[in-house]
Amino acid sequence: MKNPNILLLSVSLPNPPPEAMSFDGLPLGAIEAIKTTYGTGFQILDPPRDGFSLTLKLNFSKVRPDEAYRNSLLTKLASIREVVMGAPLKIILKHLATRTVAPELDRLVAIMHRPNETFFLVPQADKVTVAFPMRFKDSVDTILATSFLKQFVEARRAASLSSAPSCSWSPTAPQELEGAPKETLSANAGFVTFVIMPRHVEGEKLDRTVWNLSTFHAYVSYHVKCSEGFMHTRMRRRVESMIQALDQAKPLEKTRSMNNKSFKRLGLNDANHTNSK
């Protein structure tokens, strides 16, 4: 008989490429990130269910009954993919907070965030450079994303954002990605680079920075689709207004009545015939 207090949550992750940091099919540090995020109420099943990379077992009878905690737990459950995929990024940024570099890291670190797509980090003691190759399948999305990213970089120059990480965009791969596999550098929307400083990962800022970087591509894709939908809506409204204007237009009558007298509307040929007389 199934226990109603038991929930099994399984996650399927794309196969990590050779350049990505992984351990037993999971990103480096994923197990520690899960334990830190979800606490003792979860159990990691080994092996996971067939066809999945990770399976968590949650016993609701051990979860605190207050509603606020359960709502926060649901939010964490919905974010499990980003918690797992962003684990290597969190390790690197944790070392940045202490101005150190993990000894097991390479000069260029690749982190997979979508199937067959990675972004790259260059960890240093005083900063971490994060570079995103931006690619889109649809040609319209590519054009909108390129425009959006250029404006994104321009917005960073505002005085109100002076403390935000520096941001740059380029149509070609930046120098920091020298040595990366060529197949990972195909980007039809250019490359976006952020420079993360220790002040950006102090205290509670760490989790927010990890989340923002892990979901950056999804953030751009969301705004691209919203822009595309907005333009479609505006075009539909414009067409509807034009159709409405055409529907309201009425053709002139062939006969008009004025003071109880009828006048015949002459055509162009009739007018010429009258003038010739």
Side-chain angles (χ1 to χ4, degrees):
M1 182 177 180
K2 294 184 178 180
N3 189 342
N5 291 321
I6 300 298
L7 170 68
L8 294 181
L9 179 61
S10 298
V11 182
S12 179
L13 303 176
N15 294 325
E19 67 271 11
M21 297 188 304
S22 62
F23 180 75
D24 287 344
L26 294 176
L28 182 66
I31 301 299
E32 291 76 10
I34 292 171
K35 292 179 179 179
T36 302
T37 303
Y38 300 106
T40 58
F42 284 83
Q43 178 185 355
I44 302 175
L45 299 185
D46 188 18
R49 297 176 64 185
D50 292 341
F52 295 94
S53 307
L54 175 69
T55 299
L56 300 182
K57 180 180 179 181
L58 171 63
N59 190 344
F60 280 103
S61 62
K62 297 182 180 180
V63 176
R64 297 207 311 260
D66 57 287
E67 186 176 355
Y69 175 78
R70 294 204 169 197
N71 288 337
S72 65
L73 182 61
L74 290 176
T75 301
K76 292 179 180 179
L77 285 174
S79 307
I80 184 171
R81 188 179 184 278
E82 300 305 327
V83 170
V84 174
M85 302 294 286
L89 176 61
K90 190 169 187 177
I91 292 176
I92 294 173
L93 296 184
K94 269 186 176 181
H95 280 275
L96 175 63
T98 59
R99 297 181 181 272
T100 59
V101 178
E104 68 273 12
L105 298 179
D106 298 328
R107 183 197 67 83
L108 182 64
V109 179
I111 297 180
M112 180 180 58
H113 64 105
R114 302 177 68 192
N116 301 321
E117 293 190 15
T118 56
F119 65 94
F120 298 89
L121 292 88
V122 182
Q124 296 175 283
D126 59 341
K127 65 179 181 180
V128 172
T129 303
V130 187
F132 289 88
M134 304 299 295
R135 58 179 69 92
F136 296 85
K137 295 181 180 179
D138 186 78
S139 59
V140 175
D141 290 353
T142 302
I143 295 172
L144 292 176
T146 302
S147 177
F148 175 82
L149 293 172
K150 290 180 180 179
Q151 294 298 321
F152 189 86
V153 174
E154 289 295 326
R156 165 59 182 82
R157 298 177 182 177
S160 59
L161 299 176
S162 58
S163 60
S166 63
C167 176
S168 62
W169 178 89
S170 63
T172 57
Q175 294 181 352
E176 290 83 358
L177 297 187
E178 184 179 356
K182 292 183 178 180
E183 60 272 13
T184 63
L185 299 181
S186 59
N188 53 11
F191 296 78
V192 180
T193 303
F194 296 96
V195 179
I196 310 299
M197 309 299 290
R199 69 175 184 273
H200 299 134
V201 292
E202 294 175 346
E204 296 180 355
K205 294 180 182 179
L206 173 63
D207 289 335
R208 185 172 59 186
T209 302
V210 171
W211 175 264
N212 290 339
L213 291 174
S214 299
T215 60
F216 177 71
H217 197 288
Y219 169 84
V220 175
S221 299
Y222 169 79
H223 282 279
V224 166
K225 291 300 182 183
C226 286
S227 299
E228 189 174 353
F230 175 75
M231 287 187 290
H232 287 171
T233 301
R234 290 292 300 270
M235 288 189 291
R236 282 194 294 268
R237 289 178 180 175
R238 180 61 176 167
V239 171
E240 289 172 358
S241 64
M242 294 177 65
I243 293 175
Q244 186 177 7
L246 292 173
D247 290 340
Q248 292 176 350
K250 296 181 179 179
L252 294 175
E253 299 178 358
K254 291 186 178 180
T255 59
R256 297 178 180 178
S257 177
M258 182 179 297
N259 297 328
N260 297 324
K261 295 182 179 180
S262 297
F263 298 88
K264 183 179 180 181
R265 183 182 178 186
L266 297 178
L268 181 61
N269 295 332
D270 297 332
N272 294 334
H273 180 70
T274 301
N275 293 335
S276 63
K277 291 181 179 181

